[in-house]
Amino acid sequence: MKKIKIQINNIKYKILKKIKNEDGFIEMFFIIVLFFFLISVLISVAPPFIAREKLSIISQRVVDKVAYDGKVTADTHTFINDLITKANMQDKDVTYSFNGNIRADGKIQLRDEFTFNIDAKENINLTGFGLTSITIPINKSLDGISEVFYKSSEL
């Protein structure tokens, strides 16, 4: 704790020394402008990483639910749409699909594999005014295995 206070005082001393010099004002001005520029770039580039993390969470929850239920039904699609709404990703053009050993009625037999794919699009405005907008596609794919056994009479 004492070292941190010493370092902070040292930084304050160096800043005050720069300001007292005649050139120090211009130098400090450019350092401050550069600092705020870097913060604005980080803020504009962060949304795709946040969207990727949200898609990872959604896909993990969906795969867990389908593996536990052993089927893909209308309730599953409602669950996915609710997750997308709760994650505030309705405007990200989200699409999803299931692939694998899924029967026509949506049932997945014990130890059959399936894949859940979810895609979204994220826009980045580098200027802050929307003049240069870049669309970045974000994809997440996750595999799962059914945990439900269906008798042959149920299939």
Side-chain angles (χ1 to χ4, degrees):
M1 185 72 174
K2 197 171 187 179
K3 287 183 179 182
I4 294 173
K5 288 182 181 180
I6 292 171
Q7 289 176 348
I8 291 173
N9 288 334
N10 192 13
I11 292 171
K12 284 181 187 178
Y13 174 75
K14 286 182 180 180
I15 291 173
L16 290 174
K17 186 177 177 184
K18 287 274 188 194
I19 290 175
K20 287 181 182 176
N21 293 342
E22 292 177 8
D23 314 348
F25 284 113
I26 296 172
E27 205 172 302
M28 287 304 295
F29 174 75
F30 282 116
I31 289 173
I32 291 170
V33 168
L34 181 66
F35 175 74
F36 283 112
F37 175 74
L38 290 175
I39 288 176
S40 68
V41 168
L42 287 174
I43 288 172
S44 66
V45 174
F49 296 104
I50 295 169
R52 171 76 175 170
E53 187 61 29
K54 287 180 180 180
L55 288 182
S56 295
I57 292 168
I58 290 170
S59 61
Q60 184 63 50
R61 292 194 60 194
V62 169
V63 167
D64 289 345
K65 179 177 175 42
V66 171
Y68 182 74
D69 290 345
K71 57 187 171 185
V72 177
T73 61
D75 291 337
T76 307
H77 295 289
T78 304
F79 177 73
I80 295 168
N81 291 329
D82 287 344
L83 287 176
I84 291 169
T85 303
K86 287 178 184 176
N88 198 19
M89 295 191 68
Q90 306 92 315
D91 58 339
K92 307 288 188 218
D93 196 20
V94 178
T95 58
Y96 59 89
S97 64
F98 288 94
N99 299 322
N101 297 328
I102 303 172
R103 290 171 175 66
D105 59 354
K107 293 181 180 177
I108 307 170
Q109 183 60 281
L110 179 69
R111 298 190 49 91
D112 279 352
E113 295 181 0
F114 64 93
T115 303
F116 177 69
N117 300 312
I118 188 165
D119 303 318
K121 294 179 182 169
E122 181 66 48
N123 291 327
I124 295 178
N125 297 323
L126 292 178
T127 60
F129 301 110
L131 300 175
T132 56
S133 181
I134 300 171
T135 302
I136 298 176
I138 303 169
N139 310 1
K140 181 66 181 172
S141 179
L142 201 59
D143 297 329
I145 298 175
S146 177
E147 299 175 6
V148 177
F149 176 73
Y150 292 103
K151 297 177 188 175
S152 58
S153 61
E154 295 175 330
L155 292 176

